[in-house]
Amino acid sequence: MSHLHINKVVLLLSITFALSCQNQKKDKIEMKAPIAKKQAKELEKHGDIRIDDYYWLNDRENDEVIEYLEQENAYYKEMTAHTKTFQDTLFNELKSRIKEDDSSVPYKRNGYWYYTRYEEGKEYPIHARKKDNLDSQEEIMFNGNEMAVGHEFFNLRGISISPDNKYAAFALDTVSRRQYYIQIKNLETGDIYPDKIENTTGGSVWANDNKTLFYTKKDPVTLRSDKIYKHKFGTNANDDTLIFHEKDDTFGTFVYKSKSKEYIIIGSYSTLTSEYQIVKADTPDESFKMFSPRERGLEYSIYHFDSDFYILTNKDKATNFKLMKTSKEKTSHKNWTEFIPHRENVLLEDIDIFRDYYVLSERENGLSKLKINRWDNTDSYYLPFDNETYTAYSYANLEFDTETLRYVYNAITTPYSIIDFNMRTKNKEVKKEQEVLGGKFNKENYRSQRVWATARDGVKVPMSIVYHKNTKLDGTSPLLQYAYGSYGSTTDPYFSTSRLSLLDRGFVFVIAHVRGGEYLGRQWYEDGKLLKKKNTFTDFIDCSKYLIENKFTSAEHLYAYGGSAGGLLMGAIVNMAPELYNGVIAAVPFVDVVTTMLDDSIPLTTGEFDEWGNPNDKEYYDYIKSYSPYDNVVAQDYPNLYVTTGLHDSQVQYFEPAKWVAKLREVKTDSNLLLFDINMDAGHGGASGRFEALKETAKDYAFLLDLEGQIQ
């Protein structure tokens, strides 16, 4: 696009704000902030009229929009120029803890050991395999560093190996729009076939004939995954057969193969409802059979074992889910029988099936548990975990005929370990411990605890806390509070090498497990969505008040961070309780909720109705409008703000934070920082390389540490 190549000299000369000498303390020249033009657009719904002065910013093809974004970037760079040396130092510090020539723990599948490895100084992984055993010669399937040459953004995903091990389907995105094209590589000759399957989700699955490939396409406008196609290897992708079209625009669809390798499965999903269709992987040209037709509010997922299917479901008001089973001949939900009953206090999250064992992933009182069971009922036990700030989960268990369960364990103070556990002998082998390089890390230097804040409605909200043992908990220490709080997504206490740079500088770090996630079970999610969404925001604020009252920090030193739907949380709290925070980082924030949820041409909108509500219904319109950050910006003092986005973001469009920042600049009454940093080459996930991502973390931390006066 021509507007992306605007001459920077002409651009800077055209910026309408002058340079002025400000902030002598930091001895730097400050620009006045960019002021976006106002162009009133009247938006009417349910007889209510909203005036959106910055609606015009939603056109990324408009040169004037790009110019404004470039002005914001120029302002951000000028205002943070004094931190640039520190950012570089911090980046090197973050990078120094990483084992640059690292590799994953190999896993076995169909006679090959697969793994990824990094080379020193390189951004992207190398995907490789070895036949039969790990002493065999390495076969490099994909070298991301070579493939990424010439691309500002690069993402390789969805590597799918044919059953005969000869071919690999793979997917690439070089725009950061999450629209992947699929190609096929001959792993014996190294040839990549020229045929490209465009606009897919990236995932694909082979039938057992080694020539039939199923994949999912996206709607080119809304980016909803709506069609399943069948491709015959060696034919033109334009001739591919449409197998299924998900016409309900509140649903998405996907396709995968059962762990037993016997079935190809098409799934349809919305926030509240799911449905599956199946076909034998040996006969991919047969018609798919409906497993059990969708019923609103009925969620289920299926697992094949021997002559039965096992179904994880909320059927019959099983809020925390239960496990049912049915024969593969009679799959309708009318034939399902109970296998593991619903439990009020235990969320059943997943099941891993092996020949002799099945493993349940559970959550009780916020803590992850793994329960191992023999099919013959001769043994059943939990793996022991010993504190309240840990994370444990099943990991890459792709083999069926094995006694080994592979799982990941880490605590908020302890690097992760990948562990192989023999379910029969109960012996375990640590296959990999995360290395923290640099020679300074000692887990004994850090302390953690779980505390419970009382929300304004009396509900107890848990928080996981970590800090350096020398950090004073007397109200003077800086604290970074994080939460997400949507879609039932749970942020478990996890270890981070990057976070050490804050902890070692006296920061306390807190994960607030607010309603809207599933930390305390499915009801915890239900109580933070739709017409109860404000619980997410008030929980976060009440956690902040608890942290201040109990001397973990003070309002002068309290900071908040959230991204995407967590960015909505940030936008809400700075409107509702700006006095509690000295600074807030809002990454790719979803802040224009009413307008976005009324526009079904925007990617992902229709599938979100069961999460936020459909504002075409006046009850939901009024409720969403009452908290939507953009609609509730008012003339008041706001904390220091650092807002980020990506021009090509497919999840939260760049114009949401752009409009929000422009409106904040117009009406806020303080002189605090408001910085807007736009990655002109990336999307929702930010930069694609592992080191480029660390540079973004360095920017975040520099913002916080500058406000704390720790940058000279």
Side-chain angles (χ1 to χ4, degrees), residues 214 228-230 241-245 266 277 284 286 288:
F214 293 91
I228 305 295
Y229 279 87
K230 180 173 64 177
T241 304
L242 176 64
I243 299 298
F244 173 64
H245 181 194
I266 293 175
Q277 303 171 60
E286 290 188 358
F288 277 75

Side-chain angles (χ1 to χ4, degrees), residues 386-441:
D386 59 0
N387 65 62
E388 290 190 329
T389 54
Y390 72 86
T391 300
Y393 53 90
S394 172
Y395 177 74
N397 289 289
L398 303 178
E399 285 288 284
F400 173 73
D401 189 6
T402 178
E403 296 178 335
T404 300
L405 169 72
R406 177 166 291 178
Y407 69 94
V408 169
Y409 175 85
N410 77 108
I412 202 168
T413 58
T414 308
Y416 75 83
S417 295
I418 297 175
I419 299 167
D420 278 357
F421 180 81
N422 188 296
M423 295 180 280
R424 178 177 55 83
T425 67
K426 301 182 182 177
N427 293 325
K428 69 179 183 180
E429 179 185 1
V430 177
K431 304 298 292 185
K432 181 184 179 67
E433 289 183 340
Q434 181 183 9
E435 295 183 60
V436 183
L437 303 183
K440 297 180 181 179
F441 174 73

Side-chain angles (χ1 to χ4, degrees), residues 14 42 45 135 293 301 329 444 455 484 500 512 553 681 688 707:
S14 71
E42 185 175 290
K45 192 70 179 180
D135 294 325
S301 51
E329 285 78 28
E444 301 302 324
Y484 185 72
L500 296 175
T553 190
D681 298 310
S688 57
L707 292 174

Side-chain angles (χ1 to χ4, degrees), residues 9 33 35 79 102 127 150 189 230 233 245 303 310 349 410 446 528 614 626 709:
V9 175
I35 302 299
M79 294 297 291
D102 203 3
H127 299 267
T189 66
K230 180 173 64 177
F233 180 45
H245 181 194
Y303 309 79
Y310 289 80
E349 294 185 312
N410 77 108
Y446 304 92
N614 184 346
S626 73

Side-chain angles (χ1 to χ4, degrees), residues 277-308:
Q277 303 171 60
I278 59 176
V279 72
K280 283 289 191 73
D282 287 337
T283 56
D285 292 329
E286 290 188 358
S287 297
F288 277 75
K289 167 194 168 186
M290 178 62 65
F291 189 89
S292 188
R294 69 189 67 177
E295 292 186 8
R296 181 167 174 79
L298 176 63
E299 299 175 64
Y300 71 94
S301 51
I302 60 177
Y303 309 79
H304 174 246
F305 174 61
D306 200 15
S307 60
D308 297 307

